[in-house]
Amino acid sequence: MSDPCIICVAITGSVPRKSDNPAVPITVSEQIESTQAAFEAGATIAHCHVREDDGTPTSDPDRFARLMEGIATHCPGMIVQLSTGGRSGAGKTRGGMLPLAPEMASLSVGSNNFPTRVYENPPELVDWLAGEMRTYNVKPEIEAFDLSHIFQAAAMVADGRLAAPLHVQFVMGVKNAMPVDRRVFDFYVETTRRLMPDATWTAAGIGRHQLEVSRWAMEAGGHCRTGLEDNIRLDRDTLAPSNAALVKRTADICADHGRHPASVVEARAILGLPA
């Protein structure tokens, strides 16, 4: 029997707008509808940002609460992962939704360059976000934009600031951050396994690299992420018509690598989440 591969769909993000691709879901109702279609196509984690109705990024807990409720209703058992990323707010507003106790949330444990700015994650904020996740029993997904982030996550487990086992995501292809490079990817995998043998891991390729990085992850025994947050196209000339289309494309290649899209039951077991 083939090994399950968890497919995470990053449905909206903070950057893409409808002017970039009309399929990008902005309102809470659009996001719920898009997530349901992606769930039915094979995604078992929804990585969620929220926006104001005009498309402006926000960390509004009320919007997150409505999104969580809608996903729970229309996507039974799907794992909701809320973003605490820095494009949606500043300081502790980034974690203002954690008292909602989502099953997962993203956590960046260090700073790095982004295309037009520094993505700031100062140590005191990282520690506060990690503490809130422990308080509300939220499993973090470590967003590794740099090799140092993997080492920092391991150090935080060792001193008790984070609870093992972690789930680590390698983010490759953001301009000015870690490029898409197979030897680097392999070293990320080896380093994570060496420092945190019990960790699970996934990978995200940005833009045109999305499918390529997903293939690498499947080959290496990890999991993968797709969705309109990271990539708005099926190919150079074709906009993706939906998040579901990107999920289906990913699900369709699992068998090429001896894998199958993880079910809700399988994904929860792999991540150590309640059935």
Side-chain angles (χ1 to χ4, degrees):
M1 184 175 180
S2 63
D3 293 328
C5 175
I6 300 170
I7 300 175
C8 172
V9 59
I11 56 175
T12 300
S14 297
V15 175
R17 293 181 171 267
K18 286 191 179 293
S19 57
D20 302 310
N21 183 332
V24 175
I26 299 297
T27 66
V28 171
S29 59
E30 288 176 341
Q31 290 186 58
I32 293 168
E33 182 178 359
S34 185
T35 302
Q36 181 180 4
F39 176 68
E40 292 171 354
T44 45
I45 300 177
H47 176 75
C48 302
H49 294 245
V50 290
R51 309 274 195 104
E52 302 290 354
D53 288 347
D54 66 359
T56 303
T58 180
S59 293
D60 179 7
D62 290 338
R63 288 178 181 264
F64 273 121
R66 287 190 282 125
L67 180 57
M68 288 175 62
E69 181 181 9
I71 294 174
T73 299
H74 297 284
C75 310
M78 192 177 199
I79 300 161
V80 175
Q81 180 190 101
L82 303 187
S83 173
T84 66
R87 283 173 163 151
S88 301
K92 292 184 178 180
T93 62
R94 290 168 50 177
M97 81 298 290
L98 293 174
L100 297 171
E103 290 185 291
M104 295 186 74
S106 63
L107 178 64
S108 297
V109 297
S111 301
N112 59 278
N113 287 340
F114 267 8
T116 60
R117 54 171 287 191
V118 175
Y119 182 36
E120 294 186 71
N121 294 288
E124 61 273 17
L125 178 59
V126 173
D127 286 347
W128 180 80
L129 288 169
E132 290 291 281
M133 292 184 192
R134 291 198 311 274
T135 296
Y136 296 106
N137 196 30
V138 179
K139 184 180 180 72
E141 177 184 85
I142 304 302
E143 306 292 318
F145 293 90
D146 181 81
L147 181 62
S148 64
H149 300 170
I150 298 174
F151 279 84
Q152 178 64 9
M156 293 177 73
V157 169
D159 64 22
R161 285 175 288 169
L162 290 173
L166 291 183
H167 187 58
V168 181
Q169 175 166 253
F170 315 137
V171 185
M172 309 187 81
V174 175
K175 184 180 179 181
N176 298 328
M178 182 55 66
V180 175
D181 182 285
R182 182 59 192 259
R183 292 179 68 181
V184 170
F185 171 85
D186 290 341
F187 190 69
Y188 269 23
V189 175
E190 188 276 329
T191 301
T192 300
R193 287 174 173 163
R194 174 168 58 88
L195 297 179
M196 297 174 284
D198 59 351
T200 53
W201 61 269
T202 186
I206 306 303
R208 63 186 177 87
H209 301 290
Q210 188 171 78
L211 198 60
E212 178 183 23
V213 172
S214 290
R215 287 185 179 277
W216 294 352
M218 290 180 195
E219 290 171 4
H223 308 283
C224 56
R225 168 167 138 165
T226 188
L228 291 168
E229 172 178 352
D230 299 337
N231 170 42
I232 60 171
R233 297 182 177 277
L234 288 177
D235 56 47
R236 182 175 180 177
D237 301 315
T238 310
L239 291 175
S242 63
N243 275 303
L246 293 171
V247 171
K248 183 180 185 302
R249 181 176 70 168
T250 303
D252 285 347
I253 65 169
C254 282
D256 296 343
H257 307 283
R259 311 290 297 276
H260 68 268
S263 67
V264 164
V265 172
E266 289 171 325
R268 288 178 169 277
I270 290 167
L271 296 172
L273 297 173

